[in-house]
Amino acid sequence: HERICQYIATESGSLVVSVGYRLAPEHKYPAAYEDCLNATQHFLQHLEHYGVDPARVIVCGDSAGGNLAAAVSQTLAGRSDLPKLRAQILIYPGLQALDFNLPSYQQNRGVPLLFWERAAFFALLYVQGDTANLEEVLEGSHVPPDLRLKYRKWVSPD
């Protein structure tokens, strides 16, 4: 992503920091999250060194990086010892892996580059380091009924 980061920095007149986080499947969750969180915390603690206005810090990510940017933003939202993030930019983020049978997954199941089965495949590599229960995830049987009921307000076709 170096060229994209250079372009964003040049066009926006911004300082762009790109985190080289550990990747799955060699490093399963929470390795990448911890790398991004630690890098962001360090950056926020040393903004003066970089000449950055504390009121103008934004996190951004695409795909799995979008998931990480969202997770870091949520983690830091309640911190009073660090400057608040101004915004998050999430570009086609992977945010929901509880139900791969929701309408958005079904409507886009054959769209390149990330087909329906591949989305589940990569989510499993990220979370557990293997894809042993891929079929269960695709069928939706990996989530116990009581848990599905608990989260239906946020994860449902409605």
Side-chain angles (χ1 to χ4, degrees):
H1 288 88
E2 184 177 347
R3 295 192 92 175
I4 293 170
C5 291
Q6 289 173 345
Y7 177 81
I8 292 170
T10 301
E11 292 298 313
S12 67
S14 301
L15 172 68
V16 174
V17 178
S18 179
V19 179
Y21 56 84
R22 292 172 285 170
L23 301 174
E26 295 81 14
H27 305 280
K28 64 183 178 181
Y29 177 83
Y33 164 73
E34 290 171 343
D35 292 347
C36 292
L37 179 61
N38 290 335
T40 305
Q41 288 173 330
H42 177 82
F43 182 69
L44 290 171
Q45 291 166 342
H46 298 91
L47 292 175
E48 289 180 21
H49 173 77
Y50 299 104
V52 173
D53 179 350
R56 301 187 67 206
V57 178
I58 296 171
V59 295
C60 176
D62 72 301
S63 193
N67 170 284
L68 294 168
V72 166
S73 295
Q74 287 184 335
T75 300
L76 297 178
R79 296 275 302 264
S80 59
D81 60 321
L82 295 172
K84 298 285 182 219
L85 296 173
R86 182 174 186 152
Q88 58 180 332
I89 300 170
L90 309 178
I91 304 167
Y92 59 91
L95 298 177
Q96 189 281 119
L98 191 62
D99 190 344
F100 284 91
N101 292 298
L102 292 174
S104 61
Y105 277 112
Q106 294 305 310
Q107 292 163 1
N108 297 294
R109 71 184 301 147
V111 175
L113 299 166
L114 191 58
F115 298 104
W116 175 66
E117 288 183 10
R118 298 303 286 171
F121 177 88
F122 288 125
L124 286 172
L125 283 181
Y126 172 63
V127 172
Q128 63 189 30
D130 66 61
T131 60
N133 59 333
L134 179 62
E135 287 306 313
E136 291 89 355
V137 169
L138 292 173
E139 294 168 3
S141 61
H142 66 297
V143 179
D146 59 323
L147 194 62
R148 185 175 297 281
L149 189 61
K150 179 179 178 180
Y151 291 105
R152 75 171 178 214
K153 177 179 177 182
W154 298 281
V155 184
S156 77
D158 301 327

